[in-house]
Amino acid sequence: MEGGGPAVRRRSRSASARERSRDRARSRGACSPPARKRPSSGAGEEPQPAPASPEYNNDSEEDMFGDYDSFSGNDSLLAQFDNMEQECIQSIDLTSCTKNMEEKATVEPAFGYLQLQNAKSKELIFSAAGNIIGFKTEEESHLKTTSEQDNRTLEPGDCFLDDLPSSQLLYFEEMNKTLVDSRKSSEWQHTCLTLESLQQRKNLIYSLPTSGGKTLVAEILILQELLCRQKDVLMVLPYVAIVQEKVWALSSFGIELGFLVEEYAGSKGRFPPIKRRMKKSLYIATIEKGHSLVNSLIETGRVGDLGLVVVDELHMLGEGSRGATLEMILAKILYTSKTTQIIGMSATLNNVGDLQQFLQAEYYANNFRPVELKEYVKIQDSVYEVDNKAENGLTFSRLLNFKYSSNLQKMDPDHLIALVTEVIPNYSCLVFCSTKKNCENVAEMICKYLNKEYRNHREKEKQDLIKDLKNIGKGSLCPVLKRTIPFGIAYHHSGLTSDERKRIEEAYSAGVLCLLTCTSTLAAGVNLPARRVILRAPYVATKFLKKNQYKQMIGRAGRAGIDNAGESILIVQEKDKHLVQDLVNSPLENCYSNLFLEFTKGIQSLLLSLVGLKIARNPEEIYHFMCGTLFGVQQQFLSKEKSLSDITREALGCLIEKGLLKGKMTCEKEQKSQSNLEITQLGQATYKGSIDLAYCDALYRDLKKGLEGLVLESCLHLLYLTTPYDMTDHCRPDWMIYFRQFSQLNSVEQKVAAIVGVPESFITKKASGQAIKKDVDNGVVNRLYLSFVLYALLKETNIWNVSEKFNMSRGYVQNLLNSAASFASCVLHFSEELEEFWVYKALLTELTKRLTYCVKAELIPLMEVAGVLESRAKQLYDSGYKTLAHLANADPETLVKMIEHLSRRQARQIVSSAKMLLREKAEALQEEVEELLKVPTDTSEGLLTTLP
């Protein structure tokens, strides 16, 4: 057993006893009342009409993520584990256990296990640690007889807890305690976890409103799979930031419970993953990286190692090319592994029948919300409550009571100031705006007319926030934020850098900021709930709001454990009144497959990988596979003109024509006698590199042309080759800046422009406004311009300076950098499959690393740790934590004292993440050593005996 600790011995239970235990778990669907509001820790502040938000550095449990959504969201959970371990240690009889402890009880540096040796301590644990899946509510317990209770006491763990180390039991005891303490909100989770379909390992889709606690159920199932069934788990999340947040949060559990947490996002991830002999892995991945991971596991025959796949935001199946990629992941797992369980969760699902048929899954739904949500619509100065029973769906609620001057009425015709001042600064508020510019304008407008007394609320912490943002910008600070933060207000959109976004999110979660003006992307991103959510208009950009988007946004209203209720207010103009009435009363949009709509990123890409992975080798087998996709389920509705067979054969024909597949397509009548299709080298490189089929030919030509005269005096030529093709369409070069940047290049670097097809004369004429007679490929011109941006970034490592130099938003520059790092990784895998491009392997490996971090080399080891961005890495480095080993062995309490504005929760998570990464690297090397020393299985016995 891991760490050499003693296993927990339990009375073996018969199959019939286990069956009786399962029979006692009854499904219940009742919803419980909303969570009770807890008082806030606002000591030392000026008197307020309502409790103040917690201090920023206060490590209170009272965070804004609530108590019931996720284990990782509970600030005090790990601290409680530490306390429990200390209590168990103190209860050990030192006289009888000294010898035993000397031999076994050791704490290893960085990631050692604390082994509990005392049998009496274990008995205490047994009596407290009930089966988390089988816990009963107080009402149910009264219905049980004394004998049944005695039986349960005598047999304190179902198969779920059998033979776990005592260090793991501590965790499950605390999980059980957490659930029992919050049993009102956990009723649905108990019901869901005890579903017969889960006991039988059937696939499951479950749906609850936002902040209903979906994640907690998924995490329990993940831990059960890793620890009890000893299988790997894949968790698919929609965005890089959420992946990093989840890796950061769950690393503590991995360290204590003995499994690995591996990040697959951006340019991170190993394909195929290392096959672990001792520990199991939790892969946390974005949709794109999850697809590459599944492909690599299928190719190496290891997809069966995945015991469980968890998909958050399952409704993303209906969202463009990313939805098509998610559909490919699930379809391949369903087809290639009959032992892998799939769990999908979402707050916004409608046509569940199609999804059930696709995933061969059971369905569970509940309307539970820990905090009641009240929906309102504001038209002029009247506020209406959304009421499904009313004739038009709306019931008059109240008139706004706020005195507006004529000037203020002109500046704020939507009465935003009246709406936000009803809740801030004592409660939090989100204002969703239709555009990024509107976010900034609204934030400034609100601050302009707010009472100056708002500046006094947590003034010092707001000044610290401004100081931190200035440090992040290396001396630069957005003038809008400089004006709004003193009032406790900031904007949040993609124009911010990752470091800025994270720092603003932390300040908002801590109550330092009480209002964020944001775009719709926040609704689908990190969890930032509020007492009141205001939708500035029923539009996202110029498109009218969809019901799914509306539900995602208003779902942020209400903070579990803090608010008694959450409110959403949709501001509507008279002209949109009828559209909004339809919106609030309409059902959610259906989720439709995008495999056919996204042709090159969808069905063509899927079919290419099916042949490459040998999942299906001829049109008949491919058609059989396609019948099991979501597109196959919905085909008659999505494509009435063509049959599924016709669509499949047409896509295969396109792949053969492009030179990605080879083989002969016969007519449908001759289908049974047809020969197998084969993938070409270019096709193999394309699917392994996850290259969009629309660009694979262009990439091959560019790499081929690069071999003829690759300029290596600087990295500019390589940067051009790794600049994403799909970002060039939205690029609009400033020709004077283009010319200025070109002129600053040395003569060798200027040759790169001529090599790729952008002559100096073209740039000069464009900058001077002269007519251009010779046509130049706009895609190449834009791509070179973006490579200039990346080149400046790698030289300066200062996003602020580069964004000003190119007159771009710093968020766009960072997005370009992240996209380039990811695409460089794809180009690297593409090159590895083609022998002629062997030279690119070493070059692109180093370039990918530089693009991923874009910092001075000494900070890279620290930034490899999940959740550590550049500004935090600098703080850690300056404080003496210069290596991963330093950080992994750090004392969280010391970190809190040395690093400004670092809470205990953050310090613990940073140290845990560092330990996890260090362990992962160490064990990868150990696996490599063992593989090298392993005796070959095909060596003859006679030969083996002659060896020394």
Side-chain angles (χ1 to χ4, degrees):
M1 185 175 62
E2 180 61 28
V8 176
R9 293 185 181 179
R10 290 182 180 75
R11 181 178 302 176
S12 177
R13 302 224 289 174
S14 66
S16 59
R18 287 175 181 153
E19 191 62 40
R20 286 196 303 273
S21 175
R22 282 195 288 268
D23 288 342
R24 286 198 298 265
R26 303 295 182 203
S27 297
R28 297 176 18 150
C31 299
S32 23
R36 183 166 51 88
K37 178 180 173 184
R38 292 179 295 178
S40 184
S41 56
E45 297 184 12
E46 67 276 6
Q48 298 289 349
S53 302
E55 291 293 323
Y56 177 66
N57 275 329
N58 182 17
D59 198 40
S60 167
E61 293 179 43
E62 200 171 302
D63 64 65
M64 295 177 65
F65 296 120
D67 298 322
Y68 316 120
D69 192 55
S70 166
F71 285 131
S72 58
N74 190 337
D75 287 357
S76 65
L77 194 56
L78 294 178
Q80 290 178 42
F81 293 153
D82 294 339
N83 293 338
M84 291 175 64
E85 288 181 334
Q86 292 302 320
E87 289 172 8
C88 288
I89 292 170
Q90 290 168 11
S91 70
I92 294 176
D93 184 352
L94 294 176
T95 305
S96 61
C97 296
T98 301
K99 183 178 179 181
N100 200 20
M101 289 186 67
E102 285 176 355
E103 294 174 353
K104 297 181 180 178
T106 60
V107 178
E108 298 178 13
F111 41 80
Y113 278 4
L114 177 64
Q115 300 295 343
L116 302 179
Q117 304 297 328
N118 186 268
K120 187 174 180 180
S121 298
K122 291 176 188 172
E123 289 175 9
L124 292 173
I125 294 173
F126 297 159
S127 64
N131 187 335
I132 192 168
I133 290 182
F135 98 81
K136 300 288 183 287
T137 61
E138 194 172 348
E139 292 81 5
E140 288 176 294
S141 297
H142 285 308
L143 298 176
K144 300 297 177 184
T145 63
T146 305
S147 61
E148 286 177 321
Q149 291 173 354
D150 291 341
N151 286 338
R152 193 171 58 216
T153 304
L154 291 170
E155 298 173 351
D158 203 337
C159 56
F160 180 58
L161 290 178
D162 284 348
D163 299 323
L164 290 183
S166 50
S167 61
Q168 296 180 6
L169 268 176
L170 284 171
Y171 274 78
F172 284 111
E173 177 186 357
E174 186 60 27
M175 290 173 191
N176 191 49
K177 180 183 174 185
T178 301
L179 285 177
V180 172
D181 288 345
S182 57
R183 56 175 57 127
K184 286 184 179 179
S185 64
S186 299
E187 257 185 43
W188 82 262
Q189 293 161 333
H190 166 247
T191 302
C192 185
L193 286 166
T194 53
L195 289 172
E196 187 179 351
S197 55
L198 280 183
Q199 305 301 320
Q200 296 175 356
R201 291 193 54 76
K202 291 182 180 178
N203 298 338
L204 177 70
I205 300 169
Y206 65 98
S207 177
L208 275 97
T210 302
S211 72
K214 297 183 297 296
T215 308
L216 180 61
V217 168
E219 289 175 355
I220 291 172
L221 294 173
I222 286 170
L223 291 175
Q224 180 179 350
E225 196 71 24
L226 289 164
L227 303 177
C228 300
R229 296 195 72 251
Q230 290 290 299
K231 288 281 191 176
D232 295 331
V233 176
L234 169 61
M235 188 177 198
V236 181
L237 300 171
Y239 303 110
V240 173
I242 303 177
V243 168
Q244 292 172 340
E245 185 181 87
K246 189 60 68 177
V247 170
W248 196 46
L250 292 182
S251 291
S252 304
F253 287 88
I255 292 297
E256 293 296 331
L257 300 179
F259 62 86
L260 297 173
V261 180
E262 301 186 36
E263 179 182 345
Y264 280 77
S267 60
K268 292 184 179 180
R270 187 193 298 255
F271 304 106
I274 295 174
K275 185 173 177 62
R276 314 285 181 179
R277 296 182 185 177
M278 301 296 293
K279 292 185 174 62
K280 296 305 168 185
S281 291
L282 168 58
Y283 308 113
I284 303 180
T286 57
I287 293 171
E288 293 75 16
K289 286 294 181 179
H291 186 217
S292 298
L293 175 65
V294 168
N295 281 346
S296 69
L297 291 173
I298 293 172
E299 184 179 26
T300 54
R302 292 167 48 197
V303 70
D305 292 348
L306 281 180
L308 177 67
V309 174
V310 174
V311 179
D312 196 7
E313 310 295 355
L314 187 64
H315 61 270
M316 288 197 73
L317 279 166
E319 297 186 13
S321 61
R322 305 195 77 218
T325 305
L326 180 56
E327 184 176 344
M328 291 183 220
I329 295 174
L330 297 173
K332 287 176 181 176
I333 290 171
L334 286 166
Y335 194 86
T336 59
S337 177
K338 303 305 179 187
T339 59
T340 303
Q341 187 180 24
I342 296 174
I343 305 292
M345 52 182 169
S346 174
T348 53
L349 290 176
N350 191 29
N351 56 329
V352 178
D354 289 351
L355 300 180
Q356 280 186 266
Q357 189 177 342
F358 164 45
L359 294 178
Q360 303 158 35
E362 302 290 320
Y363 178 58
Y364 175 82
N366 196 303
N367 292 322
F368 170 77
R369 234 182 159 271
V371 176
E372 181 187 4
L373 173 60
K374 295 179 179 178
E375 298 177 45
Y376 297 96
V377 172
K378 189 194 82 67
I379 305 172
Q380 295 180 351
D381 60 350
S382 299
V383 178
Y384 300 85
E385 185 171 1
V386 175
D387 183 0
N388 294 328
K389 298 177 183 178
E391 186 177 346
N392 61 358
L394 301 174
T395 301
F396 177 78
S397 176
R398 65 187 173 100
L399 287 172
L400 285 179
N401 183 22
F402 192 88
K403 294 179 180 180
Y404 268 73
S405 65
S406 57
N407 183 45
L408 183 55
Q409 180 69 36
K410 190 181 296 182
M411 295 300 296
D412 183 24
D414 295 324
H415 308 102
L416 272 173
I417 294 172
L419 294 172
V420 302
T421 52
E422 290 177 346
V423 289
I424 66 170
N426 297 316
Y427 295 96
S428 58
C429 182
L430 295 175
V431 180
F432 284 100
C433 303
S434 55
T435 65
K436 289 184 284 189
K437 188 62 180 172
N438 194 227
C439 288
E440 298 176 27
N441 291 340
V442 167
E444 286 208 277
M445 183 274 291
I446 293 172
C447 292
K448 187 176 180 180
Y449 293 98
L450 277 182
N451 191 305
K452 302 302 180 187
E453 291 180 3
Y454 282 87
R455 300 174 68 101
N456 300 330
H457 184 74
R458 304 182 75 158
E459 183 177 11
K460 183 183 182 304
E461 290 160 287
K462 288 186 286 194
Q463 290 303 317
D464 289 340
L465 173 59
I466 290 174
K467 180 183 172 184
D468 287 351
L469 290 172
K470 214 169 194 177
N471 290 336
I472 288 170
K474 298 179 180 176
S476 299
L477 176 66
C478 170
V480 175
L481 292 176
K482 187 177 182 179
R483 290 190 289 270
T484 62
I485 287 176
F487 290 91
I489 296 172
Y491 65 84
H492 184 289
H493 58 57
S494 61
L496 295 167
T497 65
S498 298
D499 278 27
E500 287 174 324
R501 267 201 307 275
K502 184 165 185 176
R503 187 65 185 87
I504 286 171
E505 288 164 4
E506 288 172 353
Y508 175 81
S509 296
V512 177
L513 295 175
C514 55
L515 187 149
L516 294 182
T517 58
C518 50
T519 54
S520 59
T521 52
L522 184 140
V526 292
N527 187 18
L528 294 176
R531 172 66 175 266
R532 176 174 288 179
V533 169
I534 300 171
L535 280 66
R536 174 78 172 72
Y539 291 91
V540 174
T542 57
K543 295 181 179 178
F544 195 78
L545 204 60
K546 294 179 181 178
K547 184 60 176 278
N548 288 349
Q549 293 170 322
Y550 171 72
K551 282 292 187 182
Q552 287 274 0
M553 292 182 197
I554 68 171
R556 295 299 183 198
R559 302 168 299 168
I562 297 179
D563 296 326
N564 290 321
E567 302 169 340
S568 72
I569 301 175
L570 173 58
I571 298 175
V572 180
Q573 305 302 320
E574 194 68 44
K575 64 182 178 67
D576 293 325
K577 182 177 179 180
H578 295 296
L579 290 173
V580 168
Q581 286 175 344
D582 292 339
L583 172 72
V584 296
N585 293 295
S586 64
L588 294 164
E589 288 86 9
N590 287 335
C591 179
Y592 292 119
S593 170
N594 279 272
L595 277 182
F596 185 59
L597 295 175
E598 298 287 337
F599 206 57
T600 58
K601 288 185 177 180
I603 191 168
Q604 285 191 10
S605 178
L606 172 59
L607 300 191
L608 180 67
S609 64
L610 291 182
V611 177
L613 293 168
K614 298 180 175 58
I615 295 174
R617 303 190 185 193
N618 57 56
E620 186 178 3
E621 292 177 355
I622 291 170
Y623 172 77
H624 179 63
F625 179 95
M626 289 299 299
C627 288
T629 62
L630 180 59
F631 178 66
V633 172
Q634 299 175 332
Q635 183 272 324
Q636 290 184 335
F637 176 79
L638 295 176
S639 178
K640 297 177 181 177
E641 298 82 12
K642 297 179 182 178
S643 68
L644 182 59
S645 178
D646 291 337
I647 293 169
T648 302
R649 295 175 68 80
E650 183 181 320
L652 288 171
C654 290
L655 291 172
I656 292 172
E657 192 177 326
K658 287 181 179 180
L660 301 174
L661 291 180
K662 56 186 178 182
K664 189 176 180 182
M665 289 294 295
T666 56
C667 65
E668 198 165 354
K669 293 180 180 178
E670 301 172 6
Q671 206 167 344
K672 291 184 180 179
S673 60
Q674 62 200 327
S675 59
N676 288 340
L677 297 167
E678 293 182 14
I679 195 166
T680 64
Q681 280 191 314
L682 178 60
Q684 184 91 349
T686 299
Y687 97 79
K688 281 203 170 183
S690 300
I691 304 296
D692 185 346
L693 272 60
Y695 305 122
C696 62
D697 286 337
L699 177 61
Y700 178 83
R701 288 194 302 269
D702 287 342
L703 292 174
K704 187 78 172 174
K705 190 175 182 181
L707 291 179
E708 297 171 8
L710 190 61
V711 177
L712 294 177
E713 187 168 305
S714 74
C715 62
L716 179 60
H717 199 167
L718 281 173
L719 283 172
Y720 173 81
L721 294 174
T722 54
T723 300
Y725 291 95
D726 57 1
M727 294 198 72
T728 60
D729 294 339
H730 306 291
C731 176
R732 299 290 179 268
D734 182 314
W735 294 107
M736 286 305 298
I737 294 174
Y738 207 143
F739 178 72
R740 193 182 306 125
Q741 292 300 311
F742 178 83
S743 301
Q744 291 173 3
L745 300 175
N746 62 40
S747 58
V748 176
E749 290 170 336
Q750 287 181 354
K751 285 181 182 178
V752 174
I755 291 171
V756 301
V758 184
E760 181 179 358
S761 59
F762 173 83
I763 300 173
T764 305
K765 288 179 179 179
K766 275 288 190 180
S768 60
Q770 298 179 39
I772 307 293
K773 293 180 181 179
K774 185 179 179 182
D775 288 337
V776 178
D777 188 335
N778 280 335
V780 174
V781 172
N782 293 351
R783 198 166 176 228
L784 181 64
Y785 186 67
L786 293 177
S787 66
F788 283 176
V789 178
L790 293 170
Y791 188 44
L793 265 176
L794 290 188
K795 286 197 295 184
E796 298 189 32
T797 67
N798 188 326
I799 289 177
W800 268 91
N801 289 351
V802 173
S803 63
E804 289 175 5
K805 189 178 290 185
F806 286 88
N807 195 25
M808 295 173 169
S809 76
R810 56 198 184 279
Y812 177 84
V813 172
Q814 175 137 65
N815 182 45
L816 171 64
L817 180 65
N818 294 339
S819 298
S822 184
F823 187 63
S825 176
C826 293
V827 176
L828 172 60
H829 293 304
F830 179 90
S831 302
E832 287 174 338
E833 298 301 316
L834 298 166
E835 285 186 23
E836 58 193 303
F837 295 150
W838 63 270
V839 71
Y840 287 115
K841 183 176 180 181
L843 296 171
L844 291 177
T845 299
E846 184 59 32
L847 182 67
T848 301
K849 195 171 185 179
R850 290 184 65 189
L851 286 169
T852 299
Y853 300 106
C854 193
V855 293
K856 292 179 180 177
E858 62 263 22
L859 296 181
I860 290 179
L862 299 177
M863 288 188 66
E864 288 179 336
V865 177
V868 175
L869 299 178
E870 183 180 3
S871 58
R872 186 70 80 201
K874 283 180 181 175
Q875 286 181 307
L876 292 167
Y877 189 86
D878 292 342
S879 299
Y881 299 96
K882 299 181 185 297
T883 66
L884 182 60
H886 283 138
L887 197 53
N889 287 284
D891 175 21
E893 291 299 323
T894 306
L895 277 181
V896 171
K897 293 174 184 176
M898 296 183 69
I899 307 298
E900 277 191 310
H901 313 308
L902 184 71
S903 69
R904 287 180 179 82
R905 173 176 176 258
Q906 291 169 330
R908 286 196 299 266
Q909 288 180 324
I910 286 175
V911 172
S912 294
S913 296
K915 287 179 180 178
M916 177 57 69
L917 183 59
L918 187 62
R919 169 185 286 180
E920 188 184 323
K921 289 189 172 190
E923 295 198 0
L925 291 172
Q926 190 173 346
E927 296 278 355
E928 195 173 329
V929 169
E930 291 181 6
E931 188 65 29
L932 284 171
L933 297 177
K934 190 169 67 174
V935 177
T937 55
D938 58 349
T939 306
S940 64
E941 187 177 345
L943 180 59
L944 283 175
T945 56
T946 62
L947 294 175

